[in-house]
Amino acid sequence: MNSNSLYRIGIVQLNSTNIIANNLTKVKHYISQSLKDNLDALIFPEATDYIAENKEQSYELCQTTNKTFVEPLTDYIKTLKLNKLNIFIGVHLPSTVDPETKIRNCLLRIDHKGEIINEYQKIHTFDVPKLDIIESNLVEKGTKRPEVQAINGLLKIGPGICYDIRFPEQSLYLREKGAHVLLFPSAFTMVTGEKHWDKLGMARSLDTQCYSVLVGQVGQHNAKRASWGHSKIIGPWGDILLKLKDSEEDYGFLDIDLNDLQKVRDGMPLFDQKPKGMF
């Protein structure tokens, strides 16, 4: 689908493990399944390449992801000879600043030719001592602002990853730069997912008058780690427009019309009403 203002966005909810080859097989399956739906964009969760059992294993696996996951994936996409599909997928990549101790949590945009044309590195790491989770012990914080991605003409997509959803400044920045859709590929914990997942997505949509794509890891990854799932797309009016299965792997898509988006923004012109230079 793509006729002037019309676009089709697909999302995939996954249960990734520490077996990269199995995760790659799932990704290929869902890409293949989606081809009949004529998507403009297909969004996978954070950490699609793997979810490790501990910090040491995550570092070790990351050193192989380019060869074992990213390159085979781009090679596969090239064989499909697509004409417009863009894939956004969360992966781990080796650090370029501190390769001996750190890794990077990134969202790649792979175009229909199988070329990586954008890489967003997660800015806000999930550091919550109460949950005994300090992501920054291993993951290097991103320092570059996210770039709005133009998709197949008019559609503009703003990237984020998981914990970024809690910082409205990033979403507001992306809206200021022209975003229509905000991406939040995630691996939310069960505790924070139940309490905050939907509320945060609705808040970011209402803040920015954008579509918010909440696509998550789901289920038990290993003995110590599980993810909330409940993937969905929320509209610019704060309503849930697409909802996947709560606790299973799943795929679905939503048709959006940028004319409908503009009607919401025209009806309540928030970004025209901001006092200049005050905030």
Side-chain angles (χ1 to χ4, degrees):
M1 171 174 289
N2 186 354
S3 177
N4 295 324
S5 65
L6 300 175
Y7 291 86
R8 179 168 287 179
I9 297 175
I11 58 175
V12 177
Q13 180 167 271
L14 286 179
N15 175 255
S16 295
T17 67
N18 61 349
I19 305 175
I20 292 177
N22 289 354
N23 302 330
L24 179 60
T25 297
K26 289 181 182 181
V27 169
K28 290 179 178 178
H29 164 75
Y30 280 110
I31 293 174
S32 177
Q33 179 182 340
S34 77
L35 297 181
K36 68 182 185 304
D37 297 321
N38 196 29
L39 303 178
D40 291 285
L42 179 61
I43 321 301
F44 286 89
E46 177 185 31
T48 293
D49 54 346
Y50 69 81
I51 290 184
E53 295 185 0
N54 52 54
K55 174 184 172 182
E56 292 74 23
Q57 185 182 71
S58 184
Y59 178 83
E60 181 179 346
L61 289 173
C62 182
Q63 308 315 305
T64 74
T65 51
N66 275 312
K67 291 292 185 184
T68 61
F69 188 88
V70 177
E71 291 178 12
L73 176 58
T74 56
D75 287 344
Y76 169 71
I77 293 169
K78 289 172 184 175
T79 68
L80 299 176
K81 300 187 184 305
L82 304 173
N83 61 10
K84 69 171 184 174
L85 178 64
N86 286 265
I87 293 169
F88 292 82
I89 189 163
V91 299
H92 303 88
L93 297 173
S95 170
T96 56
V97 177
D98 186 4
E100 298 301 318
T101 63
K102 299 283 188 176
I103 66 176
R104 294 184 294 136
N105 186 338
C106 296
L107 181 66
L108 303 181
R109 175 189 169 190
I110 306 172
D111 72 4
H112 65 281
K113 297 178 181 178
E115 300 294 336
I116 298 171
I117 59 174
N118 187 259
E119 174 189 299
Y120 165 68
Q121 183 177 341
K122 186 177 183 181
I123 294 172
H124 303 95
T125 53
F126 185 40
D127 293 352
V128 184
K130 268 197 169 184
L131 296 178
D132 195 29
I133 298 174
I134 308 293
E135 187 180 15
S136 62
N137 283 344
L138 176 65
V139 176
E140 168 190 307
K141 293 176 183 285
T143 58
K144 294 182 180 178
R145 290 179 176 179
E147 299 176 18
V148 171
Q149 301 292 295
I151 303 296
N152 298 340
L154 298 176
L155 182 65
K156 295 182 179 179
I157 294 182
I161 299 175
C162 201
Y163 202 51
D164 290 334
I165 198 173
R166 293 185 180 274
F167 299 86
E169 299 86 355
Q170 181 166 335
S171 296
L172 291 167
Y173 168 80
L174 289 165
R175 164 65 201 273
E176 293 277 12
K177 293 298 181 180
H180 305 116
V181 176
L182 303 175
L183 303 185
F184 298 106
S186 301
F188 252 61
T189 70
M190 300 298 286
V191 172
T192 58
E194 183 177 12
K195 292 292 185 182
H196 300 150
W197 180 239
D198 285 12
K199 294 182 180 73
L200 286 166
M202 291 176 183
R204 296 297 79 80
S205 280
L206 292 171
D207 287 342
T208 62
Q209 298 173 311
C210 288
Y211 294 90
S212 290
V213 177
L214 279 63
V215 54
Q217 291 279 350
V218 66
Q220 200 74 35
H221 307 287
N222 53 54
K224 295 183 177 180
R225 178 105 180 250
S227 295
W228 176 242
H230 294 74
S231 298
K232 53 182 55 71
I233 299 179
I234 300 172
W237 201 239
D239 43 353
I240 296 172
L241 303 178
L242 173 68
K243 183 177 180 181
L244 299 189
K245 295 175 182 176
D246 289 347
S247 54
E248 300 176 34
E249 294 187 331
D250 199 11
Y251 157 76
F253 63 84
L254 177 71
D255 295 333
I256 67 172
D257 188 336
L258 297 186
N259 290 332
D260 292 340
L261 176 66
Q262 193 58 47
K263 288 176 184 176
V264 171
R265 294 178 175 184
D266 290 344
M268 190 176 290
L270 298 180
F271 282 68
D272 295 333
Q273 297 171 343
K274 288 186 175 184
K276 302 301 180 185
M278 185 174 288
F279 299 109

